[in-house]
Amino acid sequence: MSAVVKNALAMIGVRKQFHELNLRYRVFLSQMPLVICVALVALVAAIFFPTTLDNVAFQAGLIMLAILTAASFLVPWDRLPYPTYWVIPLLDFVVVAALRTGGAESLSGLSMLAVFPVFWLAWSGIAPVTARIISFFAPLLLVWVPVLTSGEPVTAAGLADPFLIPIIMLAICVTASIFSLSETDKQGVLEAKDRELQAVLDETRDRSRLMQTMMDTVGVGLVAVDKDGHDILMNRRQLQNHMLAAPPGNNDPNERQLHVYKPDRTSPIPPEERPVLRAVRGETFSDELVWIGEGKQQRAMSISARSMRDDDGTFAGSVVAFSDVTDLVNALAAKDDFVASVSHELRTPLTSIIGYLDLALEETQLKDPDGSMAVCLSVALRNAERLLQLVSDLLTTASGPAKIEQRSADLAEVIASCLASATPRAEEAGVVLVNESPDDLEAFIDHDRMCQVMDNLLSNAIKYSPAGGRVTVSAWRAEGSVGFEVEDHGMGIAEEDRGGVFTKFFRTPTVRRAAIPGVGLGLVITKAIVEAHGGTIDFTSELGKGTTFRVLLPAHGGDPVRPTEAASADRI
Ligand code: ADP
Protein backbone atom coordinates (compact mmCIF):
# COMPACT_ATOMS: atom_id res chain seq x y z
CA MET A 1 0.00 0.00 0.00
CA SER A 2 2.74 2.43 0.98
CA ALA A 3 4.50 1.74 -2.35
CA VAL A 4 1.24 2.52 -4.19
CA VAL A 5 0.85 5.76 -2.25
CA LYS A 6 4.50 6.60 -2.84
CA ASN A 7 4.17 6.04 -6.57
CA ALA A 8 0.94 7.99 -6.70
CA LEU A 9 2.62 10.86 -4.87
CA ALA A 10 5.62 10.69 -7.17
CA MET A 11 3.33 10.88 -10.15
CA ILE A 12 1.94 14.20 -8.96
CA GLY A 13 5.44 15.45 -8.19
CA VAL A 14 5.48 14.82 -4.44
CA ARG A 15 8.83 13.22 -3.57
CA LYS A 16 8.26 12.94 0.17
CA GLN A 17 6.99 9.88 2.01
CA PHE A 18 3.25 10.02 2.80
CA HIS A 19 3.91 10.34 6.54
CA GLU A 20 6.35 13.21 5.89
CA LEU A 21 3.60 15.37 4.30
CA ASN A 22 1.72 17.85 6.45
CA LEU A 23 -1.68 16.84 7.81
CA ARG A 24 -3.68 18.97 5.30
CA TYR A 25 -2.17 17.10 2.34
CA ARG A 26 -2.61 13.76 4.04
CA VAL A 27 -6.32 14.40 4.72
CA PHE A 28 -6.81 15.59 1.16
CA LEU A 29 -5.02 12.60 -0.33
CA SER A 30 -6.93 10.18 1.93
CA GLN A 31 -10.18 11.61 0.56
CA MET A 32 -9.07 11.09 -3.05
CA PRO A 33 -9.91 7.36 -3.52
CA LEU A 34 -13.56 8.01 -2.61
CA VAL A 35 -13.67 11.13 -4.80
CA ILE A 36 -12.23 9.26 -7.81
CA CYS A 37 -14.59 6.31 -7.32
CA VAL A 38 -17.65 8.56 -6.95
CA ALA A 39 -16.55 10.53 -10.05
CA LEU A 40 -16.49 7.25 -12.02
CA VAL A 41 -19.91 6.28 -10.57
CA ALA A 42 -21.32 9.69 -11.57
CA LEU A 43 -19.84 9.25 -15.07
CA VAL A 44 -21.38 5.80 -15.46
CA ALA A 45 -24.72 7.15 -14.15
CA ALA A 46 -24.57 10.13 -16.54
CA ILE A 47 -23.96 7.81 -19.53
CA PHE A 48 -26.25 4.88 -18.73
CA PHE A 49 -28.76 6.13 -16.13
CA PRO A 50 -29.03 9.91 -16.60
CA THR A 51 -32.16 10.06 -14.45
CA THR A 52 -30.09 9.09 -11.42
CA LEU A 53 -28.35 12.45 -11.60
CA ASP A 54 -31.73 14.12 -11.17
CA ASN A 55 -32.31 12.35 -7.92
CA VAL A 56 -32.15 14.83 -5.02
CA ALA A 57 -30.47 12.40 -2.60
CA PHE A 58 -27.83 11.49 -5.20
CA GLN A 59 -27.24 15.19 -5.93
CA ALA A 60 -26.99 15.93 -2.19
CA GLY A 61 -24.39 13.16 -1.88
CA LEU A 62 -22.31 14.63 -4.72
CA ILE A 63 -22.53 18.17 -3.34
CA MET A 64 -21.64 17.04 0.15
CA LEU A 65 -18.66 15.09 -1.18
CA ALA A 66 -17.48 18.17 -3.05
CA ILE A 67 -17.79 20.29 0.11
CA LEU A 68 -15.98 17.71 2.24
CA THR A 69 -13.18 17.38 -0.34
CA ALA A 70 -12.77 21.15 -0.52
CA ALA A 71 -12.76 21.29 3.29
CA SER A 72 -10.21 18.49 3.49
CA PHE A 73 -7.83 20.65 1.44
CA LEU A 74 -8.64 24.10 2.79
CA VAL A 75 -9.02 23.57 6.52
CA PRO A 76 -5.68 23.92 8.36
CA TRP A 77 -6.09 20.57 10.17
CA ASP A 78 -2.68 20.74 11.79
CA ARG A 79 -3.71 23.87 13.70
CA LEU A 80 -6.88 22.22 15.05
CA PRO A 81 -6.96 19.63 17.84
CA TYR A 82 -5.52 16.37 16.51
CA PRO A 83 -8.55 14.14 15.76
CA THR A 84 -10.72 16.92 14.27
CA TYR A 85 -10.08 15.73 10.71
CA TRP A 86 -11.88 12.44 11.49
CA VAL A 87 -15.03 14.39 10.80
CA ILE A 88 -14.27 13.96 7.06
CA PRO A 89 -14.32 10.12 6.96
CA LEU A 90 -17.29 10.10 9.36
CA LEU A 91 -19.27 12.45 7.10
CA ASP A 92 -18.12 10.36 4.10
CA PHE A 93 -20.48 7.64 5.45
CA VAL A 94 -23.34 10.16 5.12
CA VAL A 95 -22.18 10.87 1.53
CA VAL A 96 -22.24 7.15 0.77
CA ALA A 97 -25.68 6.86 2.42
CA ALA A 98 -27.03 9.70 0.26
CA LEU A 99 -25.52 8.28 -2.94
CA ARG A 100 -26.88 4.82 -2.10
CA THR A 101 -30.36 6.18 -1.34
CA GLY A 102 -30.42 8.19 -4.56
CA GLY A 103 -28.77 5.70 -6.90
CA ALA A 104 -29.63 2.28 -5.49
CA GLU A 105 -32.29 1.62 -8.11
CA SER A 106 -29.99 2.09 -11.07
CA LEU A 107 -26.56 1.33 -9.59
CA SER A 108 -26.31 -1.65 -7.24
CA GLY A 109 -23.49 -2.03 -4.74
CA LEU A 110 -23.09 1.69 -3.97
CA SER A 111 -22.94 0.82 -0.26
CA MET A 112 -19.53 -0.74 -1.01
CA LEU A 113 -18.22 2.86 -1.30
CA ALA A 114 -18.19 2.78 2.52
CA VAL A 115 -15.00 0.76 2.18
CA PHE A 116 -13.03 4.02 1.66
CA PRO A 117 -13.91 5.76 4.96
CA VAL A 118 -13.54 2.36 6.66
CA PHE A 119 -9.99 2.02 5.30
CA TRP A 120 -9.19 5.57 6.20
CA LEU A 121 -10.35 5.14 9.80
CA ALA A 122 -8.46 1.86 10.11
CA TRP A 123 -5.25 3.60 8.98
CA SER A 124 -5.79 6.92 10.70
CA GLY A 125 -4.31 6.01 14.06
CA ILE A 126 -7.75 6.03 15.72
CA ALA A 127 -8.07 3.40 18.48
CA PRO A 128 -8.77 0.07 16.72
CA VAL A 129 -11.89 -0.63 18.84
CA THR A 130 -13.42 2.75 17.97
CA ALA A 131 -12.58 2.23 14.28
CA ARG A 132 -14.25 -1.19 14.34
CA ILE A 133 -17.38 0.10 16.11
CA ILE A 134 -17.71 2.93 13.58
CA SER A 135 -16.96 0.56 10.69
CA PHE A 136 -19.77 -1.71 11.73
CA PHE A 137 -22.44 0.71 12.84
CA ALA A 138 -21.97 3.44 10.24
CA PRO A 139 -22.61 1.00 7.31
CA LEU A 140 -25.41 -0.58 9.36
CA LEU A 141 -27.13 2.78 9.66
CA LEU A 142 -26.33 3.35 6.01
CA VAL A 143 -28.37 0.28 5.01
CA TRP A 144 -31.01 0.40 7.74
CA VAL A 145 -31.98 4.08 7.59
CA PRO A 146 -33.46 3.70 4.06
CA VAL A 147 -35.34 0.58 5.20
CA LEU A 148 -36.63 2.34 8.33
CA THR A 149 -37.53 5.56 6.50
CA SER A 150 -39.11 3.93 3.44
CA GLY A 151 -42.57 4.02 5.04
CA GLU A 152 -43.05 0.35 4.39
CA PRO A 153 -43.57 -2.05 7.33
CA VAL A 154 -40.27 -3.02 8.91
CA THR A 155 -39.71 -6.75 9.06
CA ALA A 156 -36.92 -8.76 10.61
CA ALA A 157 -36.13 -10.19 7.18
CA GLY A 158 -36.01 -6.64 5.74
CA LEU A 159 -33.46 -5.59 8.38
CA ALA A 160 -31.40 -8.80 8.11
CA ASP A 161 -31.21 -8.73 4.34
CA PRO A 162 -28.51 -5.97 4.00
CA PHE A 163 -26.75 -7.12 7.17
CA LEU A 164 -23.86 -8.59 5.20
CA ILE A 165 -22.51 -5.14 4.30
CA PRO A 166 -21.69 -3.96 7.86
CA ILE A 167 -20.12 -7.35 8.55
CA ILE A 168 -17.92 -7.11 5.44
CA MET A 169 -16.97 -3.56 6.44
CA LEU A 170 -16.07 -4.71 9.93
CA ALA A 171 -13.90 -7.50 8.48
CA ILE A 172 -12.18 -5.03 6.15
CA CYS A 173 -11.59 -2.66 9.06
CA VAL A 174 -10.10 -5.44 11.22
CA THR A 175 -7.80 -6.61 8.42
CA ALA A 176 -6.74 -3.08 7.53
CA SER A 177 -6.09 -2.09 11.14
CA ILE A 178 -3.95 -5.23 11.67
CA PHE A 179 -1.85 -4.27 8.64
CA SER A 180 -1.84 -0.69 9.78
CA LEU A 181 -0.66 -1.61 13.26
CA SER A 182 2.18 -3.69 11.89
CA GLU A 183 3.12 -0.88 9.49
CA THR A 184 2.92 1.64 12.33
CA ASP A 185 5.11 -0.58 14.49
CA LYS A 186 7.69 -0.87 11.70
CA GLN A 187 7.55 2.83 11.12
CA GLY A 188 7.92 3.46 14.85
CA VAL A 189 11.01 1.26 14.93
CA LEU A 190 12.42 3.00 11.86
CA GLU A 191 11.72 6.42 13.31
CA ALA A 192 13.36 5.44 16.63
CA LYS A 193 16.41 4.19 14.69
CA ASP A 194 16.39 7.39 12.70
CA ARG A 195 16.35 9.45 15.88
CA GLU A 196 19.15 7.34 17.38
CA LEU A 197 21.24 7.74 14.23
CA GLN A 198 20.65 11.46 14.22
CA ALA A 199 21.72 11.68 17.89
CA VAL A 200 24.90 9.69 17.13
CA LEU A 201 25.60 11.93 14.13
CA ASP A 202 25.12 15.06 16.23
CA GLU A 203 27.41 13.68 18.92
CA THR A 204 30.05 12.70 16.35
CA ARG A 205 29.87 16.17 14.81
CA ASP A 206 30.26 17.77 18.27
CA ARG A 207 33.21 15.54 19.08
CA SER A 208 34.96 16.21 15.82
CA ARG A 209 34.44 19.97 16.35
CA LEU A 210 35.89 19.64 19.85
CA MET A 211 38.82 17.59 18.61
CA GLN A 212 39.59 20.02 15.78
CA THR A 213 39.49 22.96 18.24
CA MET A 214 41.78 21.13 20.64
CA MET A 215 44.17 20.21 17.87
CA ASP A 216 44.29 23.78 16.62
CA THR A 217 44.76 25.13 20.15
CA VAL A 218 47.83 23.10 21.11
CA GLY A 219 51.16 24.53 20.01
CA VAL A 220 52.27 21.15 18.66
CA GLY A 221 51.95 20.00 15.05
CA LEU A 222 49.80 16.85 14.92
CA VAL A 223 49.18 14.52 12.02
CA ALA A 224 47.27 11.23 12.02
CA VAL A 225 47.95 8.79 9.20
CA ASP A 226 46.17 5.57 8.30
CA LYS A 227 47.95 2.26 7.73
CA ASP A 228 48.49 3.12 4.06
CA GLY A 229 50.12 6.43 4.91
CA HIS A 230 47.22 8.69 3.94
CA ASP A 231 46.70 11.73 6.16
CA ILE A 232 43.49 11.37 8.17
CA LEU A 233 43.88 14.51 10.25
CA MET A 234 46.31 17.41 10.35
CA ASN A 235 46.05 20.44 12.62
CA ARG A 236 46.78 24.01 11.56
CA ARG A 237 50.21 24.03 13.20
CA GLN A 238 51.28 20.94 11.28
CA LEU A 239 50.01 22.46 8.05
CA GLN A 240 52.43 25.36 8.66
CA ASN A 241 55.27 22.90 9.38
CA HIS A 242 54.38 21.01 6.22
CA MET A 243 54.54 24.15 4.12
CA LEU A 244 57.82 25.16 5.78
CA ALA A 245 59.37 21.86 4.69
CA ALA A 246 57.94 22.14 1.16
CA PRO A 247 60.29 22.94 -1.71
CA PRO A 248 59.79 26.54 -2.93
CA GLY A 249 56.88 26.82 -5.38
CA ASN A 250 55.44 23.41 -4.48
CA ASN A 251 52.20 23.88 -2.54
CA ASP A 252 51.27 20.22 -2.37
CA PRO A 253 54.46 18.25 -1.75
CA ASN A 254 54.47 14.58 -0.85
CA GLU A 255 56.49 13.26 2.08
CA ARG A 256 59.48 12.39 -0.14
CA GLN A 257 59.75 15.91 -1.53
CA LEU A 258 59.90 17.62 1.86
CA HIS A 259 63.17 19.14 3.11
CA VAL A 260 63.94 17.11 6.22
CA TYR A 261 67.48 17.07 7.66
CA LYS A 262 69.48 15.25 10.31
CA PRO A 263 70.57 17.07 13.50
CA ASP A 264 73.61 18.44 11.64
CA ARG A 265 71.05 20.55 9.70
CA THR A 266 72.58 19.74 6.30
CA SER A 267 72.39 15.95 5.66
CA PRO A 268 68.99 15.07 4.19
CA ILE A 269 67.21 12.16 5.87
CA PRO A 270 66.49 9.42 3.28
CA PRO A 271 62.71 9.21 2.67
CA GLU A 272 62.36 5.73 4.19
CA GLU A 273 64.00 6.89 7.44
CA ARG A 274 61.80 9.95 7.86
CA PRO A 275 59.69 10.00 11.02
CA VAL A 276 56.28 9.99 9.29
CA LEU A 277 57.18 7.02 7.05
CA ARG A 278 58.62 5.17 10.02
CA ALA A 279 55.36 5.85 11.90
CA VAL A 280 53.41 4.50 8.90
CA ARG A 281 55.46 1.28 9.24
CA GLY A 282 54.18 1.06 12.82
CA GLU A 283 57.30 2.30 14.64
CA THR A 284 56.85 4.03 17.97
CA PHE A 285 59.48 6.58 19.04
CA SER A 286 59.93 9.69 21.16
CA ASP A 287 61.81 12.98 20.93
CA GLU A 288 63.69 12.40 17.67
CA LEU A 289 65.32 15.59 16.49
CA VAL A 290 65.11 16.68 12.84
CA TRP A 291 65.42 20.00 11.06
CA ILE A 292 62.83 21.00 8.49
CA GLY A 293 63.00 23.70 5.82
CA GLU A 294 66.01 25.52 4.49
CA GLY A 295 68.21 28.51 5.32
CA LYS A 296 67.11 30.98 7.97
CA GLN A 297 63.58 29.51 7.99
CA GLN A 298 64.89 26.13 9.16
CA ARG A 299 63.22 24.90 12.38
CA ALA A 300 64.18 22.10 14.78
CA MET A 301 61.41 19.59 15.48
CA SER A 302 61.27 17.06 18.26
CA ILE A 303 59.11 14.25 16.86
CA SER A 304 57.23 11.48 18.65
CA ALA A 305 54.99 8.80 17.15
CA ARG A 306 52.50 6.36 18.62
CA SER A 307 50.66 3.71 16.64
CA MET A 308 46.91 3.02 16.77
CA ARG A 309 45.47 -0.50 16.91
CA ASP A 310 42.07 -1.90 15.95
CA ASP A 311 39.96 -3.80 18.47
CA ASP A 312 41.62 -6.99 17.23
CA GLY A 313 45.10 -5.46 17.67
CA THR A 314 45.81 -4.88 13.97
CA PHE A 315 47.87 -1.80 13.13
CA ALA A 316 45.44 0.93 12.01
CA GLY A 317 47.68 3.97 11.64
CA SER A 318 49.76 6.40 13.69
CA VAL A 319 49.66 9.78 15.32
CA VAL A 320 52.82 11.84 14.92
CA ALA A 321 53.53 14.97 17.02
CA PHE A 322 55.97 17.70 15.96
CA SER A 323 57.19 20.09 18.71
CA ASP A 324 59.12 23.12 17.59
CA VAL A 325 62.28 23.09 19.75
CA THR A 326 64.35 25.51 17.70
CA ASP A 327 64.75 27.96 20.59
CA LEU A 328 65.74 25.19 22.99
CA VAL A 329 68.25 23.67 20.55
CA ASN A 330 69.71 27.10 19.82
CA ALA A 331 69.94 27.85 23.54
CA LEU A 332 71.67 24.50 24.19
CA ALA A 333 74.08 25.13 21.33
CA ALA A 334 74.80 28.65 22.65
CA LYS A 335 75.39 27.20 26.13
CA ASP A 336 77.75 24.53 24.75
CA ASP A 337 79.59 27.18 22.71
CA PHE A 338 79.87 29.35 25.78
CA VAL A 339 81.11 26.50 27.98
CA ALA A 340 83.55 25.38 25.27
CA SER A 341 85.04 28.83 24.72
CA VAL A 342 85.24 29.65 28.45
CA SER A 343 86.85 26.26 29.16
CA HIS A 344 89.25 26.79 26.30
CA GLU A 345 90.19 30.24 27.59
CA LEU A 346 90.67 28.86 31.12
CA ARG A 347 92.79 25.91 30.06
CA THR A 348 95.76 27.91 28.74
CA PRO A 349 96.37 30.01 31.89
CA LEU A 350 95.66 26.97 34.10
CA THR A 351 98.30 24.91 32.28
CA SER A 352 100.77 27.70 32.78
CA ILE A 353 99.82 28.03 36.52
CA ILE A 354 100.33 24.28 36.99
CA GLY A 355 103.71 24.40 35.22
CA TYR A 356 104.97 27.25 37.40
CA LEU A 357 103.54 25.72 40.59
CA ASP A 358 105.31 22.47 39.70
CA LEU A 359 108.62 24.33 39.28
CA ALA A 360 108.15 26.31 42.47
CA LEU A 361 107.25 23.14 44.39
CA GLU A 362 110.33 21.31 43.08
CA GLU A 363 112.64 24.16 44.14
CA THR A 364 110.96 24.56 47.52
CA GLN A 365 111.18 20.81 48.18
CA LEU A 366 114.88 20.92 47.35
CA LYS A 367 115.48 23.61 49.97
CA ASP A 368 112.96 22.63 52.64
CA PRO A 369 111.03 19.42 51.77
CA ASP A 370 108.81 19.45 54.90
CA GLY A 371 108.39 23.20 55.20
CA SER A 372 104.97 24.83 55.24
CA MET A 373 105.65 26.52 51.87
CA ALA A 374 106.08 23.11 50.19
CA VAL A 375 102.79 21.92 51.73
CA CYS A 376 100.98 25.10 50.56
CA LEU A 377 102.39 24.77 47.07
CA SER A 378 101.44 21.10 46.77
CA VAL A 379 97.84 21.87 47.89
CA ALA A 380 97.70 24.70 45.32
CA LEU A 381 99.10 22.37 42.65
CA ARG A 382 96.58 19.62 43.46
CA ASN A 383 93.65 22.00 43.28
CA ALA A 384 94.91 23.59 40.07
CA GLU A 385 95.14 20.08 38.57
CA ARG A 386 91.55 19.35 39.67
CA LEU A 387 90.47 22.59 38.10
CA LEU A 388 92.23 21.68 34.87
CA GLN A 389 90.52 18.25 34.90
CA LEU A 390 87.13 19.90 35.37
CA VAL A 391 87.80 22.38 32.56
CA SER A 392 88.93 19.54 30.26
CA ASP A 393 85.77 17.53 31.07
CA LEU A 394 83.54 20.53 30.39
CA LEU A 395 85.35 21.14 27.12
CA THR A 396 84.92 17.50 26.08
CA THR A 397 81.20 17.40 26.82
CA ALA A 398 80.54 20.80 25.23
CA SER A 399 82.33 19.99 22.00
CA GLY A 400 79.79 17.34 20.87
CA PRO A 401 80.22 13.67 20.05
CA ALA A 402 83.67 12.26 20.84
CA LYS A 403 86.03 12.16 17.84
CA ILE A 404 88.29 9.13 17.85
CA GLU A 405 91.05 7.71 15.65
CA GLN A 406 91.13 3.93 15.99
CA ARG A 407 94.18 1.84 15.22
CA SER A 408 95.61 -1.45 16.47
CA ALA A 409 96.88 -1.00 20.03
CA ASP A 410 97.58 -3.12 23.07
CA LEU A 411 94.69 -2.75 25.52
CA ALA A 412 96.73 -4.57 28.20
CA GLU A 413 99.37 -1.85 27.93
CA VAL A 414 96.66 0.85 28.33
CA ILE A 415 95.41 -0.90 31.48
CA ALA A 416 98.89 -1.30 32.93
CA SER A 417 99.91 2.31 32.36
CA CYS A 418 96.63 3.67 33.75
CA LEU A 419 96.97 1.48 36.83
CA ALA A 420 100.55 2.75 37.27
CA SER A 421 99.50 6.41 37.15
CA ALA A 422 96.55 5.75 39.51
CA THR A 423 98.76 4.02 42.07
CA PRO A 424 99.84 7.19 44.02
CA ARG A 425 96.18 8.22 44.36
CA ALA A 426 95.19 4.68 45.39
CA GLU A 427 97.96 4.53 47.99
CA GLU A 428 96.90 7.89 49.37
CA ALA A 429 93.33 6.55 49.72
CA GLY A 430 94.52 3.22 51.16
CA VAL A 431 93.11 1.27 48.21
CA VAL A 432 94.86 -1.74 46.65
CA LEU A 433 94.95 -1.97 42.85
CA VAL A 434 94.98 -5.44 41.27
CA ASN A 435 95.64 -6.16 37.60
CA GLU A 436 94.08 -9.39 36.37
CA SER A 437 94.33 -8.69 32.66
CA PRO A 438 96.49 -10.70 30.26
CA ASP A 439 99.99 -9.51 29.28
CA ASP A 440 98.90 -8.38 25.88
CA LEU A 441 95.50 -7.85 24.36
CA GLU A 442 95.32 -6.58 20.80
CA ALA A 443 92.39 -4.19 20.21
CA PHE A 444 91.31 -1.67 17.61
CA ILE A 445 91.09 1.50 19.71
CA ASP A 446 92.00 5.16 20.05
CA HIS A 447 94.84 4.73 22.55
CA ASP A 448 94.56 8.11 24.29
CA ARG A 449 90.77 8.07 24.47
CA MET A 450 90.78 4.54 25.90
CA CYS A 451 93.27 5.77 28.55
CA GLN A 452 90.70 8.46 29.39
CA VAL A 453 88.01 5.77 29.81
CA MET A 454 90.26 3.66 32.02
CA ASP A 455 91.36 6.71 34.09
CA ASN A 456 87.74 7.73 34.71
CA LEU A 457 86.66 4.24 35.79
CA LEU A 458 89.73 3.73 37.99
CA SER A 459 89.48 7.16 39.56
CA ASN A 460 85.79 6.52 40.44
CA ALA A 461 86.55 3.05 41.80
CA ILE A 462 89.26 4.50 44.07
CA LYS A 463 87.22 7.59 45.00
CA TYR A 464 84.13 5.62 46.00
CA SER A 465 86.01 2.81 47.89
CA PRO A 466 86.75 2.95 51.60
CA ALA A 467 90.32 2.84 52.91
CA GLY A 468 91.51 -0.76 52.78
CA GLY A 469 89.37 -1.41 49.70
CA ARG A 470 90.46 -3.34 46.67
CA VAL A 471 90.01 -2.43 43.00
CA THR A 472 90.47 -5.14 40.38
CA VAL A 473 90.87 -4.62 36.64
CA SER A 474 90.42 -7.63 34.39
CA ALA A 475 90.30 -7.91 30.59
CA TRP A 476 89.55 -10.64 28.07
CA ARG A 477 89.02 -11.48 24.44
CA ALA A 478 85.77 -13.10 23.37
CA GLU A 479 84.46 -13.97 19.94
CA GLY A 480 84.42 -10.74 17.96
CA SER A 481 85.01 -8.50 20.95
CA VAL A 482 87.42 -7.45 23.64
CA GLY A 483 86.26 -6.42 27.06
CA PHE A 484 87.45 -5.19 30.38
CA GLU A 485 85.94 -4.43 33.74
CA VAL A 486 86.81 -2.41 36.82
CA GLU A 487 85.48 -3.87 40.05
CA ASP A 488 85.42 -2.20 43.45
CA HIS A 489 83.98 -3.03 46.88
CA GLY A 490 82.97 0.50 47.72
CA MET A 491 79.74 2.29 48.46
CA GLY A 492 77.80 0.99 45.42
CA ILE A 493 74.89 2.59 43.61
CA ALA A 494 71.27 2.32 44.77
CA GLU A 495 68.77 0.74 42.34
CA GLU A 496 66.78 4.00 42.03
CA ASP A 497 69.93 5.92 40.99
CA ARG A 498 70.92 3.50 38.19
CA GLY A 499 69.13 5.48 35.47
CA GLY A 500 70.96 8.75 36.16
CA VAL A 501 74.53 7.55 36.27
CA PHE A 502 75.31 8.29 32.62
CA THR A 503 73.63 11.73 32.57
CA LYS A 504 75.44 15.02 32.78
CA PHE A 505 76.09 16.43 36.27
CA PHE A 506 74.35 13.50 37.98
CA ARG A 507 75.75 12.47 41.35
CA THR A 508 74.12 9.98 43.68
CA PRO A 509 72.74 11.35 46.97
CA THR A 510 75.13 9.02 48.88
CA VAL A 511 78.16 10.60 47.19
CA ARG A 512 76.81 14.13 47.72
CA ARG A 513 76.21 13.46 51.42
CA ALA A 514 79.75 12.07 51.80
CA ALA A 515 81.05 15.27 50.14
CA ILE A 516 83.31 13.29 47.81
CA PRO A 517 84.58 15.73 45.14
CA GLY A 518 83.37 15.37 41.57
CA VAL A 519 81.05 17.05 39.06
CA GLY A 520 79.20 14.17 37.35
CA LEU A 521 80.80 14.38 33.91
CA GLY A 522 83.30 11.49 33.95
CA LEU A 523 80.86 8.71 33.06
CA VAL A 524 79.13 10.82 30.38
CA ILE A 525 82.49 11.27 28.64
CA THR A 526 83.41 7.62 29.21
CA LYS A 527 80.18 6.40 27.64
CA ALA A 528 80.53 8.78 24.67
CA ILE A 529 84.05 7.48 23.96
CA VAL A 530 83.03 3.82 24.27
CA GLU A 531 80.05 4.35 21.97
CA ALA A 532 82.22 6.20 19.46
CA HIS A 533 84.26 2.93 19.31
CA GLY A 534 81.05 1.02 18.53
CA GLY A 535 81.15 -0.49 22.03
CA THR A 536 78.89 -0.61 25.08
CA ILE A 537 79.32 0.17 28.76
CA ASP A 538 77.23 -1.22 31.58
CA PHE A 539 77.51 -1.84 35.29
CA THR A 540 76.30 -4.02 38.12
CA SER A 541 76.17 -2.61 41.61
CA GLU A 542 74.84 -3.23 45.07
CA LEU A 543 74.49 -0.48 47.62
CA GLY A 544 77.22 -0.80 50.29
CA LYS A 545 78.82 -3.81 48.55
CA GLY A 546 80.53 -2.44 45.45
CA THR A 547 80.30 -1.75 41.74
CA THR A 548 81.65 -3.32 38.55
CA PHE A 549 81.77 -1.30 35.32
CA ARG A 550 82.09 -3.45 32.16
CA VAL A 551 83.18 -2.23 28.72
CA LEU A 552 82.77 -4.31 25.55
CA LEU A 553 84.45 -3.22 22.29
CA PRO A 554 84.21 -4.77 18.81
CA ALA A 555 87.53 -6.58 18.21
CA HIS A 556 88.05 -5.02 14.81
CA GLY A 557 86.34 -1.70 15.33
CA GLY A 558 82.73 -1.02 14.45
CA ASP A 559 80.22 1.61 13.56
CA PRO A 560 79.81 4.14 16.31
CA VAL A 561 76.79 3.35 18.44
CA ARG A 562 74.13 6.01 18.21
CA PRO A 563 74.87 8.25 21.23
CA THR A 564 72.17 8.15 23.86
CA GLU A 565 73.20 10.98 26.12
CA ALA A 566 72.60 14.69 25.94
CA ALA A 567 76.24 15.11 24.88
CA SER A 568 74.86 14.50 21.40
CA ALA A 569 72.34 16.90 19.97
CA ASP A 570 70.03 14.48 18.15
CA ARG A 571 67.84 13.90 21.15
CA ILE A 572 66.31 16.46 23.39
P1 ADP B 1 81.91 12.13 39.40
O1 ADP B 1 82.61 10.91 39.83
O2 ADP B 1 82.79 13.24 39.03
O3 ADP B 1 80.82 12.54 40.35
P2 ADP B 1 80.98 10.46 37.26
O4 ADP B 1 80.25 10.82 36.01
O5 ADP B 1 82.26 9.77 37.08
O6 ADP B 1 81.11 11.79 38.06
O7 ADP B 1 80.04 9.56 38.11
C1 ADP B 1 78.70 9.92 38.28
C2 ADP B 1 78.15 9.38 39.59
O8 ADP B 1 78.05 7.97 39.53
C3 ADP B 1 79.06 9.63 40.73
O9 ADP B 1 78.85 10.91 41.29
C4 ADP B 1 78.66 8.53 41.70
O10 ADP B 1 77.51 8.94 42.40
C5 ADP B 1 78.30 7.38 40.79
N1 ADP B 1 79.47 6.46 40.62
C6 ADP B 1 80.29 6.37 39.57
N2 ADP B 1 81.19 5.38 39.73
C7 ADP B 1 80.90 4.80 40.94
C8 ADP B 1 81.48 3.73 41.70
N3 ADP B 1 82.52 3.05 41.24
N4 ADP B 1 80.92 3.45 42.88
C9 ADP B 1 79.86 4.14 43.35
N5 ADP B 1 79.29 5.16 42.69
C10 ADP B 1 79.80 5.49 41.48
Side-chain angles (χ1 to χ4, degrees), residues 456-457 460-461 463-464 488 490-493 501 503 506-509 511 516-524 541 546-547 549:
N456 277 337
L457 295 179
N460 280 350
K463 220 167 31 167
Y464 302 121
D488 67 57
M491 54 179 50
I493 298 169
V501 163
T503 29
F506 175 83
R507 311 203 70 222
T508 59
V511 163
I516 301 171
V519 281
L521 286 175
L523 286 179
V524 175
S541 185
T547 309
F549 277 91

Side-chain angles (χ1 to χ4, degrees), residues 163-194:
F163 208 71
L164 191 60
I165 292 189
I167 291 175
I168 292 175
M169 291 303 150
L170 178 63
I172 289 174
C173 179
V174 171
T175 314
S177 62
I178 289 170
F179 276 117
S180 160
L181 280 178
S182 117
E183 282 291 305
T184 312
D185 282 355
K186 274 192 215 152
Q187 190 154 324
V189 171
L190 280 181
E191 277 169 10
K193 286 238 155 58
D194 207 34

Side-chain angles (χ1 to χ4, degrees), residues 190-220:
L190 280 181
E191 277 169 10
K193 286 238 155 58
D194 207 34
R195 277 194 299 277
E196 256 172 49
L197 200 69
Q198 195 55 44
V200 171
L201 271 176
D202 288 347
E203 197 182 318
T204 310
R205 234 176 275 135
D206 286 352
R207 285 206 179 167
S208 98
R209 245 193 312 271
L210 175 72
M211 198 161 87
Q212 194 59 46
T213 314
M214 274 166 59
M215 283 181 69
D216 287 341
T217 310
V218 292
V220 175

